[in-house]
Amino acid sequence: MTPFVEPRPPSLAQGRAWPTPEEERLKIRDMSLAAESQSKEGDTFYIITQRWWQNWLDYVNQDQLNDGLSPHSLDSADACVSKRPSNIDNKVLIYESTTSDCSAAELHDTLVEGRDYVLLPEEVWNQLYSWYGGGPTLARKVINSGLSQMELAVEVYPLHLELLLKPKGDRSTIRISKKETIRELYRRVCEIFDLDPEQIRIYDFYGQKKHSLPMDLDKTLDDANIQMDQEILVEVNMTNYVKNNDPVGKQSNSFLLEPSKSGLSIAGGLSATKGVSKIGNMDLSQGQNQVSPHRESNNVQESSGVTTRSATAGLTGLLNLGNTCYMNSAIQCLVHTPEFARYFREDYFGEINWQNPMGMVGELALSFGELLRKIWAAGRTPIAPRPFKTKLARFAPQFSGYNQHDSQELLAFLLDGLHEDLNRVKDKPYILSKDANGRPDEEVADEYWANHKARNDSIIVDVCQGQYKSTLVCPVCAKVSVTFDPFMYLSLPLQSTATRPLTVTIFSSDGSLLPNVCTVTIPKQGRCRDLIQALSAVCSLKPHEKLLLAEIQNNLIHRFFEDPLTSLSSIKDEDHLAAYRIPQPAKGIIFLQLIHRLEDKETVNAQSVKGWKPYGTPLVSPISCDDVTTRGDVQSMVRTMLSPLLKHREKYDMSENGILSAVEPSSESSSWTERINDATHGTGKLPLHLVDENNVCIDLSVGEEKPIKISSSSKSLLVFINWSKELLEEYDTSYLESLPEVCKNGLPAKKARTEPLSLYSCLEAFLREEPLVSEPDMWKCPQCKERRQASKKLDLWRLPKVLVIHLKRFSYNRSIKHKLDTFVNFPIYDLDITKYIANKNNSDPQLYELYALINHYGSMGSGHYTAHIKVNLSSFYNIMLLLDENRWYSFDDNHISAIGEDEVKTNAAYVLFYRRKKEDASENI
C-alpha cells in the first residue's frame, strides 16, 4: 500500500503568486534566528529530508546568506540558482506503512542529522509547508538531556519498547518519549491491551528479570533508566481480568506462567513493526553495505564490500549497529591491549565484584570478556556487539540508542565501568587525605597512592592508571597546596596555529593623540590578554600606561573586557572594539564615560520636538573617588579629552608609528578655550550633563565650584555632551563616527598555514601553569577561607604500563562546535617522557611504543571513527596461525585491512595508546 502523502495546501493550489526566492530566503532566515534564541524544552521541531532542504537552498541562492541561520546552517558554498523544488517528500526517511496515520510513521534506524535529514523549528516548517505542501509531517519534541539534564536536544528517536503481557503471552510494541511519566506508560499500555489500570502491574523486564519501577508515577522513564528496545512486563491480575473480560468463564485460568520464548533479542532485537531495509549509514564509508542494527549476526556472514580475514585470531571485525563506529574503534583498541587480552581470556570470574553498588554487578565485565573472547577466537565471522552495547547503556545511559557519540568519552566510561565491576576491594574504607604541609613530595605521593589503592584495586588500575602532582597557589596569601591524584588518560590541548586579524580603534584619555585604527593578528583560540599585548606593541604603550578594552554597541559601551583570560571566540567579526590608553590604575579610581549626543528633531502632533540621540564612540578617562571633584574639574577633563579633535590646530607631530600627536597652538592663533566660549554663546562651558547614582541629570555648565558626589561602589561616571551645530564647527568628530568592525567589511581571513604540532609540545602545554578561569573551578583557599582564582600546575609523577593520550580536537563555544584538524607529529617507537616526570627518584627511562590509536574523520556531528592497531602476537600464535608479527591493520567496523607504518600518522589521530617498552618478550599476547 502506498504511504500516505500530505497534499499541497489549497491556498497555493488555487494560484496564489509564489514569493520570490529572495523573499523566501529572508523569511526563513528571520524565523530561524528568532527560533534559535527562544528554544526551550517542549518546543516542536520537524524532520525534513536533507535532499529536499538542499534543493531549496540551491533555489534561494544560499551562497548569499550569512551565517545567522543556525543551528541548521544554510551552508552551501557551491549553491546556484535552480528551479523551484516540488512538494516536500519525507517518504525516504520512513518505513513503508499500511496506515494513513502519519503520526505513526517509523523512521529508519540509522538516519544521520546533516546527511539524511535536518531539523526545522515549528515556525520554519509551517512556512515551508504553506509554500510547498507534501509530507508526511514528522514532528519531534525538544527535551532536556545530557548528564546535567540542562542540554536541549530534539528527541528524534523516542523509546521503542517491547510490551509482554503475562500470563497471556501477547506482545506489542510502543513508541514513547523517555521524558514521559510512568503514569503515561500505564495509560498507553491499558489502551493497547484494553485493560483497566487496577488490573495490571508494570515491571522493567531487563535481562528477563523483574525490576520494579519507581513508586512515584510522576517519575519519567528516563529516571527509571528505561532504554531503547527494552522489554516491559505487563502482569495482569487474572481474577479481575477474567471477571471483566470473560464473564461466562469460558477461558481457562491456567495460562502459562512464563512468557513465550522468542528468537528476538531481549534489549536490542528486531522490532515487530520494522523492516530491515535501511538508508546508507554514513559510518560505513568506502562503499560498504549497511547492516541492520536489529539483526543478530554473530553466526552469519554478512555481505560486505571487503570480507574480514576471519580465519585469523584477533582480526575479527565488529558490525556497525547504526552509528556505533565510535564504540567499535574503542573496543578494538582495548581488546588488542596485551594485558587485557591475556586477563579476559583467562579465568577472571573470581575477581568480579558482585556487590559493588558503583558497578553493574559484573554484567559489564562479563559482557566485555565474552566479546573479547569471540574476537580472539579463530575462524569467527564479523560480530554484532549488541549484547555488550545493551550492558554498556545500562551503566552509561547516554550511550543508548543509535546516535553518534565521542569515542574518547565512551572509552572513559567503559574503563571506569570495568574497573568497578572488577574492583578487588569489596568494602571501601573512608580515608581523609592530608595536605602536604611541607613534607617531602615522595612521602606524600606514596601516601596518596596507597590511599587510592586501598579503595581502588583492579586490572584497570594495574594497567592504565598513573598519578600526577597538582600544585595550587593562592594569589592573595601565597598558600601552596600540593596533592597527588590518579589519572586514567591524559587529555592534551592542541595549540592551534590558526590566526585571526582583529581591528581595534585606540583612544587616548589625556588628549595627546588622535584616535588610531590598528589591525593586529592573534591566535584564533587566544584570549584578551593576547589582543591587548599585540595592541600595546603596535601603539608603543608606555610603561605607566595600560589599555582598557571595550565593546561598543549603539554608540554606548556595552561591556569592558576586564578579565584578561576571556576567550576571543566571544568576539564576533561584526563587533566594534575600542581600546583606551589610561594610566596604570590606582586604588579608588573609576572611569568617566563621555557619551556623545546629536540633536534629533522629531515631529509630534504637527510640532517640532527637540531631542538628543547617542552618537559616535564614547571616550573614557580615569577619575578619583577619593579626591574632591568639582563640575569645573569635569569640564577641564572633557576639554583635554576632546583637544585632539579641534579643527584649527596649527601643528601636529607625526610619531614614528604614524599616529598624529596634538601640539599646543601658537600664541598668534585664538586659543581653543576662546573658540569654545564663542561656540557656547559666551557661557565658557561645554554643554555637559552628568547622570548621578540616583539617575538625576545634573547640568555641568553652571555652578563650576560645586563638588560632584562620586560613589566608590559605582564602576563608571556617565557624562553626556550635546553636540550643537555651532560646536561641531569647532571640532572634527569624524574620528568618533566610523568605528570599524573587528573584521573589516566582514571579509573572511585568509586561511592560515597550519604548522604540524609535536606531541611533546602538546604535553608541555598540558603541564604549563594556568590560572583557574571559570567560577566553578575557583579554589577555596584553606588559609584565606575564600574562593580564589588560583594558579594550577600539573606534573607527571607516576606513569602506567599503558599510557592513553587523548588529543583535544573538539571545542565548544555557545552553540558552536569546532574541530581542529591539526596534524600532530607523534612518535611510534620511542615516546620519551623521562624529562617530564617530577619524581626525580625515578631514574628509569620512561619510553613508550605506540600500538593502537583511534582516528576521527569528518566533522563533529557526522564523522566516522576507525582504529589503527599493531597486531603483535606471541610466537605460539604466530606459528599456529601463520600471522605476520608486528604488522599494522586498519579496523573500520567489520572491514579489516593491512596498512603500512607510513599510513599510521594522519591528522585524524584522536586517541593514542602507548605501551611501556620492555625487554621481556613475554609481555606479548
Side-chain angles (χ1 to χ4, degrees), residues 415-713:
L415 288 174
D416 185 56
L418 290 174
H419 160 68
E420 295 296 350
D421 265 5
L422 298 169
N423 196 347
R424 304 175 185 113
V425 179
K426 302 303 187 286
D427 296 310
K428 296 185 177 183
Y430 175 76
I431 302 174
L432 182 63
S433 297
K434 302 176 183 178
D435 197 24
N437 288 328
R439 291 183 293 160
D441 284 345
E442 292 77 12
E443 176 186 337
V444 179
D446 289 344
E447 179 183 286
Y448 269 83
W449 188 251
N451 293 343
H452 174 67
K453 290 279 287 186
R455 295 174 54 85
N456 303 276
D457 185 17
S458 70
I459 181 64
I460 306 299
V461 175
D462 296 342
V463 174
C464 291
Q465 286 200 351
Q467 187 183 34
Y468 60 76
K469 174 185 176 183
S470 175
T471 305
L472 289 167
V473 180
C474 179
V476 177
C477 69
K479 166 67 177 177
V480 177
S481 176
V482 177
T483 58
F484 292 84
D485 303 306
F487 67 84
M488 192 90 72
Y489 52 87
L490 300 178
S491 287
L492 306 187
L494 302 188
Q495 303 298 307
S496 174
T497 56
T499 57
R500 176 188 182 192
L502 290 179
T503 300
V504 182
T505 305
I506 301 177
F507 298 86
S508 66
S509 63
D510 60 2
S512 61
L513 300 170
L514 282 168
N516 182 40
V517 178
C518 297
T519 300
V520 294
T521 301
I522 41 84
K524 195 170 185 179
Q525 304 298 324
R527 302 183 183 274
C528 280
R529 64 184 177 190
D530 301 316
L531 175 57
I532 292 174
Q533 183 177 358
L535 291 172
S536 301
V538 169
C539 70
S540 301
L541 198 70
K542 298 175 182 177
H544 65 275
E545 292 180 317
K546 69 169 289 185
L547 287 180
L548 183 64
L549 193 64
E551 179 185 348
I552 309 300
Q553 286 187 13
N554 301 320
N555 308 107
L556 300 173
I557 293 178
H558 175 63
R559 59 169 170 165
F560 287 108
F561 293 94
E562 298 176 308
D563 185 354
L565 298 176
T566 300
S567 173
L568 292 178
S569 60
S570 64
I571 300 175
K572 302 178 182 178
D573 287 348
E574 61 271 21
D575 289 345
H576 301 269
L577 296 185
Y580 301 97
R581 298 178 66 142
I582 60 173
Q584 288 287 353
K587 291 184 178 180
I589 293 294
I590 66 171
F591 296 106
L592 182 151
Q593 294 185 29
L594 180 63
I595 300 171
H596 312 280
R597 297 195 297 188
L598 277 182
E599 188 174 343
D600 183 25
K601 291 185 178 180
E602 297 181 356
T603 302
V604 180
N605 298 328
Q607 295 183 353
S608 180
V609 178
K610 185 176 180 180
W612 299 89
K613 63 179 181 181
Y615 159 76
T617 306
L619 299 178
V620 172
S621 180
I623 187 170
S624 174
C625 297
D626 300 330
D627 301 334
V628 176
T629 303
T630 65
R631 298 181 184 181
D633 294 333
V634 175
Q635 286 278 340
S636 298
M637 291 177 63
V638 173
R639 288 193 189 103
T640 301
M641 295 164 68
L642 296 176
S643 61
L645 307 181
L646 278 170
K647 289 182 177 179
H648 304 294
R649 285 191 175 275
E650 295 293 326
K651 297 179 180 179
Y652 290 96
D653 282 343
M654 182 69 73
S655 64
E656 292 180 2
N657 58 9
I659 300 176
L660 289 175
S661 177
V663 179
E664 290 298 323
S666 65
S667 58
E668 297 179 358
S669 62
S670 59
S671 69
W672 60 272
T673 306
E674 294 171 352
R675 296 199 299 277
I676 292 177
N677 290 345
D678 295 337
T680 54
H681 307 289
T683 63
K685 304 299 177 186
L686 292 170
L688 303 179
H689 294 84
L690 179 144
V691 177
D692 67 9
E693 58 185 359
N694 297 319
N695 209 28
V696 176
C697 187
I698 301 173
D699 186 355
L700 299 183
S701 62
V702 296
E704 181 177 2
E705 300 301 325
K706 290 186 177 181
I708 294 173
K709 183 179 179 181
I710 302 176
S711 173
S712 58
S713 61

Side-chain angles (χ1 to χ4, degrees), residues 313-380:
L315 294 184
T316 302
L318 295 174
L319 293 176
N320 194 305
L321 307 178
N323 287 326
T324 56
C325 58
Y326 70 95
M327 181 182 75
N328 292 348
S329 58
I331 290 174
Q332 291 286 13
C333 290
L334 289 183
V335 300
H336 286 87
T337 298
E339 289 79 5
F340 293 153
R342 186 181 308 108
Y343 178 85
F344 283 99
R345 283 158 58 193
E346 295 173 353
D347 184 8
Y348 64 93
F349 301 102
E351 292 202 335
I352 293 178
N353 192 327
W354 306 100
Q355 292 82 34
N356 189 356
M358 300 182 67
M360 276 196 58
V361 294
E363 290 188 20
L364 184 64
L366 289 171
S367 182
F368 179 80
E370 180 184 0
L371 179 59
L372 182 145
R373 292 183 180 204
K374 289 179 180 179
I375 290 176
W376 281 102
R380 292 203 57 85

Side-chain angles (χ1 to χ4, degrees), residues 118-186:
V118 294
L119 293 166
L120 302 180
E122 185 171 18
E123 298 83 356
V124 174
W125 164 264
N126 289 339
Q127 185 61 70
L128 289 174
Y129 177 68
S130 71
W131 288 334
Y132 294 94
T137 300
L138 305 172
R140 294 295 187 267
K141 292 292 186 181
V142 174
I143 62 173
N144 283 324
S145 64
L147 295 177
S148 63
Q149 292 294 303
M150 296 298 290
E151 302 172 12
L152 294 180
V154 178
E155 190 177 28
V156 175
Y157 290 99
L159 290 176
H160 174 270
L161 304 179
E162 297 275 352
L163 303 179
L164 173 61
L165 185 64
K166 182 180 177 180
K168 192 175 180 181
D170 290 350
R171 285 180 176 268
S172 184
T173 60
I174 184 176
R175 280 282 188 186
I176 185 171
S177 170
K178 64 181 180 180
K179 294 300 181 180
E180 288 289 2
T181 63
I182 298 173
R183 187 187 310 278
E184 175 63 15
L185 178 62
Y186 266 89

Side-chain angles (χ1 to χ4, degrees), residues 759-760 803 805 823-832 847-853 868-870 886-888 899-906 909 912-917:
L759 184 64
Y760 293 111
L803 180 62
I805 297 179
F823 175 76
V824 177
N825 188 15
F826 50 89
I828 294 179
Y829 289 105
D830 291 308
L831 174 65
D832 189 354
L847 295 177
Y848 284 82
E849 181 174 336
L850 185 76
Y851 71 92
L853 68 153
H868 289 166
I869 300 172
K870 189 175 186 179
N886 294 326
R887 188 168 186 179
W888 285 93
I899 60 173
E901 189 173 275
D902 58 339
E903 300 177 69
V904 172
K905 292 185 182 183
T906 70
L912 308 174
F913 291 77
Y914 281 94
R915 189 162 173 261
R916 183 183 285 123
K917 296 184 70 171

Side-chain angles (χ1 to χ4, degrees), residues 42 70-71 95 154 241 319 381 774 836 870 881:
S70 61
Y95 291 104
V154 178
Y241 181 77
L319 293 176
T381 57
S774 61
Y836 300 104
K870 189 175 186 179
L881 303 175

